[in-house]
Amino acid sequence: MKGPLKIKVLGELVVLRGAREIALPPSKKTRALLAYLVVANRRQRRDHLCRMFWEVPDDPRASLRWSLSKLRHIINQNGDEGCLKADRESVLFDTAKLDVDLLQVAHMTANEVRFLDTSRLENLAAMFRGQFLENLELPRCPVFEAWRTFHGDALDRTRSMILQALVERLRCEPERALSYAETLQSLDRANKQVSLEIRSLEASARERATQLRPVSEQAGQQASGEAVRSAPGGGQNEHRRSQEIHYCSSPDGVRIAYAVSGDGPPLLRAAHWMSHLQYEWESPVWRHWIDQLSSRNTLIRYDERGNGLSDWNVGDFSFNAMVTDLESVADASGLDRFPLLGVSQSCAVSIAYVLRHRERVSRLILYGGYARGRRKRGDTHQLDTHEAMTTLIREGWGKDNAAFRQLFTEAFIPGASREQMAWFNDLQRQTTSPLNASLLHSTFGDIDVSAMLGEVSVPTLVLHARNDAVVPFDEGKVLAAGIPGARFVDLNSANHILLGDEPAFADFLREVRSFMAGPE
C-alpha cells in the first residue's frame, strides 16, 4: 500500500498509510514507545527509554530491541526506513516527512487562535478525536504517565481555546455553536460559565427557530388568540424581545461580553457586580430594567470581568482594569457620543471614564453609587463589616448555604417576592466563582474617586434609594454634592436593585427619561 504515513495522537493512537489504517502491535508498551518517540521528535538515549518503559528485573535493552523491531516492520513498508533511526546508544523517530496531527496544534497561543479564520478553527477542532493518547495508560510506568498527563493537560487547554473561539465566532448561528459548546463542557463538567453559555445558546436557537417559522404559521397563532404578553414593567413585547451578544478584548487580553438590545439613541450601562447578560435577560429582578431602558434607546450593557459571559480566568481585578473594560466596550460598540449609566460600584468607574473621555459622554446618570469604598470612608464599623464580608464571600460563595446567600439577598432586595429572592440567590452561584467574588469585593472597598468629582463637567443626575442597605444614602449625597451642577433624586425604597412593581422604579424611569430628553 503506497501513500504517506500519518500518525494521530489526538485521541487513540492511530497509524495510517494513505487512507488505510495499519494494525499496531498488541503490546501496549510498544505502542506507547512509538507515541513517545513521535511526539518527542528528538533523539532519545536507550537507557532513558529502558528506564521509562521496563523494570530492572527484566532485560530492558532486549525488550527495547524487540519493540523497535516491531515498529520497523510497520514503518519500513514504503521506503520510510529513514524515519526510525537507531544506533547502540540512541533512538530517533524523525517526523519531518510525516503527517502528525499534534504538530498542527502544539504550542499554539491564544493570539494565534484569535487570528485564525473560522474554517481553519473548525478543521483543528475536528482533529481532536478524544484525549491525548486515550486508552494508552501505563500505571506501572510513572515517568511515561507523568509525560502523557503533562501533554494531555496542555492539549486540553489548546482544544478549549479553539472551541471557545468557535463558540464566539458562531454565536449568530447558535445551532452550530452549540455542538462546540457542548464539547467544551465535556472537558470541564464543573465549569459553570460554559453551562450558562450553553443555556444562552439554546435560548438563542429557540428564538431563532421562532423567527424563522413560516409567516402563515405565525399568523395562525395570532389569529387563534395567543396573546403576546408585555414584559414586566411595561417594556418590549415578548415576541419583539431580542438581544445580540458580542465580545471584545480589553488591552490585557481579557474577553468582555456585551449585549445590545432595543432601538433608538444609544445608552451605555457600565457593568455592575454579579451580572450575567443571558441570565438577567429572563430574570424577575433585572428584566424590567432591561426592557424599559431598551424601549426608547439602544441599550448596551456588559458583564464585568470575572462575571457572567466575560472571562473568569482573570489576573487583574483592579479599578483601572474596570475602567479600561468600559473603554473597550464603548469602542467596540462604535459609540461616538452617548449617555452613560452607572449602577452601584460602576458609578465610580463611570466617573473615571468621563474624566478620560469628556467629549464622548453627553450625560452621566449615577444610581445607587458611591465615590468612596468602605475602606475609604473613615468609619470603623463599615471597615469591619467590609473585611468580614470579604472573608465570608471567599469561604461561602457558591456553596449550598441558604443562610449565607440570604444574607446578600436581604441586603440587596429586602422588598422582593419569594420568586425574586430565589432567583437572586441562584444568581450569586451562577455569575462568578468564590475567588473572583472575593477579589472584586475587596477591590470595591478601595475605590476612591472623591478627588475627581469636582472635575466632572457633563450634566449629571444622581439617584439613590433612601433606605439602601448596600450603599448608604449619605454616599449618594456625597456624590451629588461633589459634582458641579449635579441634580440629586431621593427615591423612596429600601431596595438596592429597584423592583418593577414599586413606585420608586417608576420615579427612576421618569427622572432618567426627562433628564436624557432635556437640552445639553
Side-chain angles (χ1 to χ4, degrees), residues 281-392:
W281 182 250
E282 300 297 340
S283 83
V285 175
W286 282 112
R287 178 170 171 160
H288 53 282
W289 281 71
I290 298 168
D291 284 354
Q292 288 292 346
L293 294 175
S294 300
S295 64
R296 302 182 185 182
N297 294 86
T298 299
L299 175 65
I300 299 114
R301 65 192 213 284
Y302 63 97
D303 283 333
E304 187 85 82
R305 57 175 50 212
N307 285 257
L309 297 179
S310 293
D311 277 351
W312 284 24
N313 186 17
V314 178
D316 183 5
F317 283 106
S318 66
F319 179 75
N320 183 65
M322 296 175 189
V323 180
T324 57
D325 289 346
L326 173 52
E327 290 176 320
S328 300
V329 172
D331 292 343
S333 303
L335 300 179
D336 182 22
R337 187 165 170 80
F338 55 91
L340 177 60
L341 169 62
V343 176
S344 195
Q345 91 282 348
S346 71
C347 290
V349 173
S350 301
I351 288 166
Y353 179 88
V354 167
L355 265 61
R356 294 186 189 183
H357 306 279
R358 302 172 193 267
E359 75 289 349
R360 298 184 68 176
V361 179
S362 59
R363 287 175 174 78
L364 181 61
I365 305 160
L366 305 174
Y367 168 74
Y370 54 88
R372 307 167 300 176
R374 289 182 183 268
R375 293 194 183 114
K376 303 295 183 178
R377 295 172 191 169
D379 185 316
T380 304
H381 174 70
Q382 290 202 42
L383 175 61
D384 291 345
T385 301
H386 178 82
E387 303 305 335
M389 193 63 71
T390 301
T391 302
L392 281 172

Side-chain angles (χ1 to χ4, degrees), residues 371-372 448-454 478:
R372 307 167 300 176
D448 190 354
V449 296
S450 53
M452 302 180 187
L453 299 181
V478 169

Side-chain angles (χ1 to χ4, degrees), residues 27-33 52-53 135-146 148:
S27 166
K28 211 171 187 182
K29 287 186 178 179
T30 301
R31 286 181 278 136
L33 173 64
M52 177 173 278
F53 293 104
N135 298 323
L136 200 55
E137 302 90 347
L138 295 177
R140 294 186 179 181
C141 301
V143 177
F144 172 77
E145 275 303 290
R148 191 178 68 89

Side-chain angles (χ1 to χ4, degrees), residues 72-120:
R72 284 194 187 95
H73 180 70
I74 295 171
I75 303 304
N76 297 347
Q77 293 183 10
N78 194 36
D80 292 319
E81 293 84 19
C83 293
L84 184 57
K85 303 173 183 178
D87 55 34
R88 288 190 174 186
E89 299 299 326
S90 62
V91 180
L92 168 67
F93 198 108
D94 187 358
T95 62
K97 298 180 181 179
L98 304 183
D99 182 354
V100 181
D101 56 359
L102 175 138
L103 299 181
Q104 298 189 48
V105 296
H107 313 300
M108 185 169 282
T109 66
N111 277 336
E112 289 172 335
V113 170
R114 189 174 293 121
F115 288 109
L116 291 175
D117 61 47
T118 303
S119 61
R120 175 61 174 156

Side-chain angles (χ1 to χ4, degrees), residues 80-202:
D80 292 319
E81 293 84 19
C83 293
L84 184 57
K85 303 173 183 178
D87 55 34
R88 288 190 174 186
E89 299 299 326
S90 62
V91 180
L92 168 67
F93 198 108
D94 187 358
T95 62
K97 298 180 181 179
L98 304 183
D99 182 354
V100 181
D101 56 359
L102 175 138
L103 299 181
Q104 298 189 48
V105 296
H107 313 300
M108 185 169 282
T109 66
N111 277 336
E112 289 172 335
V113 170
R114 189 174 293 121
F115 288 109
L116 291 175
D117 61 47
T118 303
S119 61
R120 175 61 174 156
L121 287 173
E122 289 188 299
N123 289 337
L124 292 176
M127 289 171 53
F128 288 87
R129 298 166 292 111
Q131 292 184 317
F132 175 65
L133 296 179
E134 197 166 298
N135 298 323
L136 200 55
E137 302 90 347
L138 295 177
R140 294 186 179 181
C141 301
V143 177
F144 172 77
E145 275 303 290
W147 171 86
R148 191 178 68 89
T149 300
F150 173 80
H151 281 277
D153 289 346
L155 287 164
D156 279 349
R157 289 192 294 271
T158 301
R159 188 183 187 187
S160 295
M161 288 191 302
I162 293 168
L163 292 168
Q164 185 64 57
L166 282 167
V167 170
E168 293 172 12
R169 298 272 185 90
L170 299 173
R171 186 167 292 281
C172 59
E173 300 177 64
E175 299 84 356
R176 289 176 65 191
L178 260 174
S179 64
Y180 295 114
E182 288 166 351
T183 304
L184 185 61
Q185 185 182 49
S186 71
L187 298 178
D188 184 4
R189 294 289 182 185
N191 192 325
K192 292 182 179 179
Q193 187 179 14
V194 177
S195 298
L196 291 169
E197 194 129 36
I198 289 174
R199 287 169 58 180
S200 171
L201 289 169
E202 287 173 340

